Amino acid sequence: MSVDAQYRVYLGAYTGSDSGANGIRLAFADEAGRLRCTDTVADAYDPSFLALSPDGGTLFAVNEVARGRVVAFQVGADGGLTEINSQPTHGSAPCHLSVHPGGRFLLTANYLSGNVVVHPIGEGGVLREACHAVDHSGQGPDKDRQEGPHAHQIVPSPDGRFALAADLGTDSVYVYAFDGDTGHLALKHEVGWAPGTGPRHLAFHPDGDRGYLVGELTSTITEFAFDAGSGEVRPGRVLPLLPADFTGRSLAAEVVVSPDGRFVFASNRGHDSIAVFAAEGFAQLGVVPAGVRGPRHIALSPRGDVLYAAGELSDTVQAFAVAADGGLTPVGDPVPSPSPVCLLPA
């Protein structure tokens, strides 16, 4: 890491003949959060989502391709990445992955095939063959986007006892009991959302008793209660992510919660904006321009004082200073980076 850098940010991307991206890039953030992008640090095909092991020594990436794969990389002292190995995801177009808090298992959601899979993580970050997979079933009212299941995310609960999968195609959140010894998923609850919502991503509040889910197709955010004992999810208030006078097409993308639990941020693609909410009382504070086109992903710095928006369509990343009241102020100009679709501050 350079002398003036405060932390690193890894950038996942869609690769291809016209994207200009060929793998995972690395950027360094200064004290204000401004990014200095370096060259590609790992060749990879469509590494559209990234995750780190709890100790920060291993980075995992999906290959969002027809015959999906997950790849493990060793993280060097300088932030460089060295491939360890890869494994098939037994599904098509994996679009999200997360690491269990214990560090022994990798959880992956396959979008096109609508299933979720678990891989054991061995010594040194080596990925083992998949130990369990579960297929979703069902559909929603949107004939173009919900003709079948489309698992869009799988994340462990804060204590690791459960894994929650958001499925855009079935308008459901699946809650699985997670066996920390075997990696086995046992369905406990299938929680339905309003038809046509298209659940995309969810994020837990630091208190572990609640969370927030964005509906891609309706551009909404739902606050939900979570029972850490039973794994029960109870959807609550639903708020819009867009201004009331907006009449164009927009799709919700990502949701994050500030480390202090005071604010919730969600991104809109089409309107190209970031909606800001107060967690206390769950109220919208405003909607601000994202400064990029197609903000597919947003992420917070380790301290939560900087928010980054990845503009898939503008080939740029914009940094924002997060004020004490949750307000967002651009930090410098957007930084060029080809087809950024995932940001991983570390």
Side-chain angles (χ1 to χ4, degrees):
M1 189 179 295
S2 60
V3 175
D4 63 340
Q6 301 296 304
Y7 49 88
R8 305 164 181 156
V9 179
Y10 291 96
L11 295 93
Y14 280 130
T15 60
S17 58
D18 59 352
S19 76
N22 58 1
I24 302 169
R25 300 186 79 198
L26 174 62
F28 294 102
D30 66 15
E31 189 172 358
R34 298 181 185 88
L35 294 182
R36 177 178 59 83
C37 288
T38 67
D39 293 331
T40 300
V41 290
D43 291 335
Y45 194 83
D46 284 353
S48 64
F49 212 87
L50 314 174
L52 277 174
S53 61
D55 65 5
T58 310
L59 182 145
F60 301 96
V62 299
N63 289 157
E64 192 176 333
V65 294
R67 295 183 177 180
R69 298 190 73 83
V70 283
V71 189
F73 298 91
Q74 182 180 32
V75 179
D78 61 353
L81 301 177
T82 303
E83 183 171 338
I84 300 171
N85 75 323
S86 68
Q87 291 286 350
T89 63
H90 303 285
S92 182
C95 62
H96 185 274
L97 46 68
S98 59
V99 183
H100 186 265
R104 295 179 53 207
F105 297 98
L106 182 70
L107 294 78
T108 305
N110 290 301
Y111 179 79
L112 283 181
S113 53
N115 63 325
V116 293
V117 63
V118 182
H119 289 85
I121 302 171
E123 189 73 25
V126 174
L127 285 169
R128 306 299 187 193
E129 292 183 4
C131 60
H132 195 61
V134 180
D135 295 329
H136 294 171
S137 62
Q139 58 187 18
D142 189 319
K143 297 184 184 304
D144 293 327
R145 297 294 308 281
Q146 297 182 307
E147 80 294 343
H150 292 304
H152 215 304
Q153 182 196 44
I154 182 166
V155 292
S157 60
D159 64 4
R161 293 182 56 204
F162 299 94
L164 283 69
D167 195 302
L168 183 147
T170 67
D171 286 322
S172 298
V173 171
Y174 299 83
V175 182
Y176 297 98
F178 187 84
D179 189 317
D181 293 324
T182 66
H184 188 271
L185 299 169
L187 184 64
K188 296 289 290 185
H189 311 283
E190 181 179 347
V191 185
W193 248 250
T197 296
R200 180 181 173 93
H201 281 188
L202 64 86
F204 280 98
H205 189 276
D207 65 16
D209 295 330
R210 52 186 156 153
Y212 308 88
L213 179 141
V214 290
E216 176 173 334
L217 304 182
T218 54
S219 293
T220 55
I221 183 169
T222 304
E223 182 182 47
F224 62 86
F226 179 71
D227 187 321
S230 67
E232 183 180 3
V233 169
R234 296 186 298 276
R237 292 183 61 201
V238 182
L239 296 179
L241 295 178
L242 299 167
D245 60 354
F246 179 72
T247 58
R249 174 175 169 78
S250 191
L251 300 171
E254 184 60 287
V255 57
V256 295
V257 184
S258 61
D260 61 10
R262 296 180 59 209
F263 304 108
V264 183
F265 305 93
S267 62
N268 298 300
R269 295 168 295 166
H271 189 247
D272 292 344
S273 59
I274 300 170
V276 184
F277 299 84
E280 187 65 31
F282 189 43
Q284 190 188 98
L285 301 178
V287 181
V288 302
V292 298
R293 289 179 54 227
R296 185 182 181 90
H297 196 251
I298 56 175
L300 288 162
S301 63
R303 294 195 304 264
D305 58 344
V306 180
L307 182 141
Y308 296 99
E312 176 186 2
L313 302 181
S314 56
D315 297 323
T316 53
V317 176
Q318 178 65 61
F320 295 88
V322 180
D325 62 358
L328 300 176
T329 303
V331 177
D333 295 325
V335 175
S337 186
S339 188
V341 294
C342 183
L343 300 159
L344 182 60

